[in-house]
Amino acid sequence: MKMLKILLLSILTLVGVNLTWRCLSRKRSLPCPTWLAGILEMDRIDAFLGTEATLDRIGMKPGQKVLEIGPGPGRLLIPAARRVQPGGEVFGLDIQPGMLARLNARAVQAGVSNLTSVLGNASQSQFPPESFDVIFLVTVLGEIPDREDTLRQCHSTLKPSGLLSVTEIFPDPHYQSRTTVRRLAEAVGFRLKKMHGPLYFFTANFLKYSH
Ligand SMILES: C[S@@+](CC[C@H](N)C(=O)[O-])C[C@H]1O[C@@H](n2cnc3c(N)ncnc32)[C@H](O)[C@@H]1O
């Protein structure tokens, strides 16, 4: 009985922390702390979070110039760098220097040389217009208070007919529903190309639509 109470209390605390974090993130930037990067670097995490499946859905090609917003320690960006070879390059834009330090160290360790890390806020202009073939975000959009501004920046920095890809995984505390992602992306000029996967792990691919 005591064990059951402890279990219930732990679950309630976890849910409470998640909901509070989610609500506060609407108003100010409270990104995933750098000390949690260790979880995203664990050996088994790729199978658990579907890293290769996500990259397959995004469908980047050799020679392309690709940006990941919020790459953290590079769970997706390091294998993405290999997928755009030969001739392609990838960029990772993250708001936390600690995450970029982990990303750079892991890229060196993996022997990846076509990866550039950039420190900055995705809701502000960081790159010249029409720079990228593909921009992707995985479990990041809900962490950014200015989601509309961020997607507007994506629209501007994508080449004409470039691809925006947004992946959300439940129960990430900042999980965004398919409907929300679609509404936000369409409001700034994207058109849905394809929705992949179930509600708890979906990837929404959009094409840049110039008026
Ligand atoms: C939950 S981690 C996801 C990491 C990676 N996409 C993955 O799925 O393994 C979210 C990342 O987004 C970054 N981030 C949060 N807000 C950001 C913003 N406004 N601009 C750029 N990066 C941001 C955080 O620093 C963190 O590295």
Side-chain angles (χ1 to χ4, degrees):
M1 198 60 188
K2 197 176 169 197
M3 280 308 286
L4 191 68
K5 272 188 188 163
I6 291 173
L7 187 70
L8 273 176
L9 204 66
S10 308
I11 293 173
L12 281 176
T13 308
L14 204 65
V15 171
V17 168
N18 275 4
L19 286 177
T20 310
W21 189 9
R22 183 181 172 89
C23 289
L24 291 177
S25 296
R26 281 288 147 82
K27 296 191 176 73
R28 70 180 98 121
S29 182
L30 289 170
C32 169
T34 306
W35 57 266
L36 278 180
I39 295 176
L40 296 171
E41 296 176 20
M42 280 158 55
D43 282 347
R44 299 224 171 90
I45 206 74
D46 289 323
F48 186 65
L49 293 181
T51 301
E52 291 301 323
T54 305
L55 292 170
D56 287 345
R57 291 172 182 178
I58 299 168
M60 60 204 66
K61 297 179 186 69
Q64 285 186 323
K65 195 170 165 186
V66 173
L67 168 68
E68 181 179 7
I69 292 176
R75 174 175 73 87
L76 296 122
L77 197 60
I78 290 170
R82 296 201 182 97
R83 288 191 181 217
V84 298
Q85 290 282 41
E89 52 181 338
V90 299
F91 292 73
L93 170 67
D94 206 289
I95 200 167
Q96 298 189 91
M99 286 293 190
L100 293 181
R102 290 301 311 149
L103 171 66
N104 291 335
R106 281 165 39 89
V108 169
Q109 203 177 23
V112 161
S113 57
N114 59 335
L115 185 156
T116 304
S117 63
V118 179
L119 179 65
N121 186 339
S123 63
Q124 289 155 14
S125 172
Q126 306 288 347
F127 302 97
E130 303 189 358
S131 295
F132 298 103
D133 299 291
V134 176
I135 300 179
F136 69 94
L137 299 87
V138 180
T139 63
V140 172
L141 192 59
E143 278 189 26
I144 305 176
D146 311 312
R147 295 171 301 171
E148 291 86 353
D149 288 344
T150 299
L151 294 178
R152 212 167 278 117
Q153 290 299 335
C154 291
H155 194 272
S156 153
T157 44
L158 271 174
K159 293 179 187 174
S161 75
L163 183 93
L164 170 76
S165 181
V166 181
T167 297
E168 292 292 329
I169 304 173
F170 188 84
D172 174 16
H174 300 97
Y175 173 85
Q176 304 288 292
S177 70
R178 283 177 175 180
T179 313
T180 302
V181 170
R182 188 168 179 180
R183 175 176 53 76
L184 292 169
E186 289 182 345
V188 300
F190 287 103
R191 263 202 303 222
L192 184 67
K193 182 181 179 217
K194 187 161 181 182
M195 190 70 81
H196 296 266
L199 288 176
Y200 61 87
F201 171 34
F202 72 85
T203 299
N205 285 348
F206 299 90
L207 287 178
K208 176 168 174 170
Y209 171 63
S210 301
H211 306 278

